[in-house]
Amino acid sequence: MEKVRSYLEVVDRIKEAVGRSEECTMTLLGEIKSNPTNYPVFSLVLSSKRASKVRKRRVCLSAGIHGDEPAGVEALLTLLESPDLYEPFLPLVDFTLFPCINPSGYEHDTRTNSQGFDLNRKFDKKRPPKEVSLIRGALEAKKFVLSMEFHEDVDTDGFYLYELKEQTPYFGE
């Protein structure tokens, strides 16, 4: 299958942004093996090193679970590369970012991973694909007040919020 985008370029942009920032730390969660490529999967944390008297909230931002939706990946990379966008929030919020959950899908412009799985439909499975296991483990290690997965919809103008919550009040109202 032909590559449409380069995940290596994503990794380079992440490393460059982390290297320029005192507020950003990077953790390698693991690697996804997809012959002949090994894709590293990262978790990034944006957090102020200054002491805060306020109890900080934890927010999770993730993208690229569907490889054919690159806008979310680009949005998170742009955020990482632009400290002026996130620094004003750091006294109140710690951000955890998963910039590209599906590296092989991202490179090959497919919704699914290299094994043909729609990762977005595997988080409730006992033995999910490795991409999901890595992210799920990182999600379970922290409590988030808000978690947002960035998707792209070529059929709809503007943006909308799809909320998984059974009781009101809803955040999106």
Side-chain angles (χ1 to χ4, degrees):
M1 182 176 277
E2 182 181 332
K3 287 184 181 182
V4 175
R5 288 180 286 278
S6 169
Y7 183 70
L8 182 58
E9 289 177 13
V10 169
V11 171
D12 288 345
R13 287 175 68 185
I14 291 170
K15 288 179 178 179
E16 190 173 317
V18 170
R20 288 192 319 262
S21 174
E22 294 179 17
E23 291 89 5
C24 189
T25 56
M26 177 175 67
T27 302
L28 175 64
L29 298 177
E31 286 191 345
I32 306 302
K33 297 184 188 311
S34 176
N35 286 336
T37 307
N38 289 337
Y39 297 104
V41 177
F42 300 101
S43 169
L44 304 158
V45 175
L46 298 172
S47 180
S48 175
K49 305 299 182 223
R50 289 179 240 135
S52 175
K53 295 179 183 177
V54 178
R55 184 171 167 258
K56 294 174 76 172
R57 310 272 186 190
R58 290 187 176 139
V59 173
C60 177
L61 305 175
S62 57
I65 198 163
H66 294 142
D68 60 351
E69 299 175 5
V73 175
E74 185 59 36
L76 290 186
L77 291 173
T78 299
L79 176 66
L80 276 173
E81 294 167 338
S82 308
D84 56 311
L85 294 176
Y86 64 77
E87 284 177 345
F89 297 97
L90 294 185
L92 301 173
V93 178
D94 287 337
F95 293 97
T96 297
L97 281 65
F98 302 103
C100 188
I101 296 174
N102 181 1
S104 64
Y106 177 82
E107 279 202 331
H108 300 289
D109 197 35
T110 61
R111 179 180 176 94
T112 61
N113 71 354
S114 61
Q115 298 168 317
F117 293 119
D118 181 341
L119 301 177
N120 203 33
R121 306 291 187 254
K122 297 295 182 183
F123 275 83
D124 62 343
K125 304 300 179 198
K126 286 185 180 180
R127 294 195 336 222
K130 187 167 184 182
E131 296 94 333
V132 172
S133 293
L134 294 173
I135 301 302
R136 193 164 69 182
L139 289 172
E140 291 170 353
K142 295 181 180 180
K143 282 209 174 254
F144 296 103
V145 297
L146 177 66
S147 179
M148 296 176 67
E149 168 64 34
F150 296 168
H151 286 270
E152 190 174 341
D153 189 341
V154 298
D155 299 322
T156 305
D157 290 333
F159 93 88
Y160 56 90
L161 177 65
Y162 182 77
E163 187 170 8
L164 296 175
K165 187 174 178 184
E166 295 180 9
Q167 297 176 351
T168 60
Y170 297 111
F171 181 78
E173 288 183 333

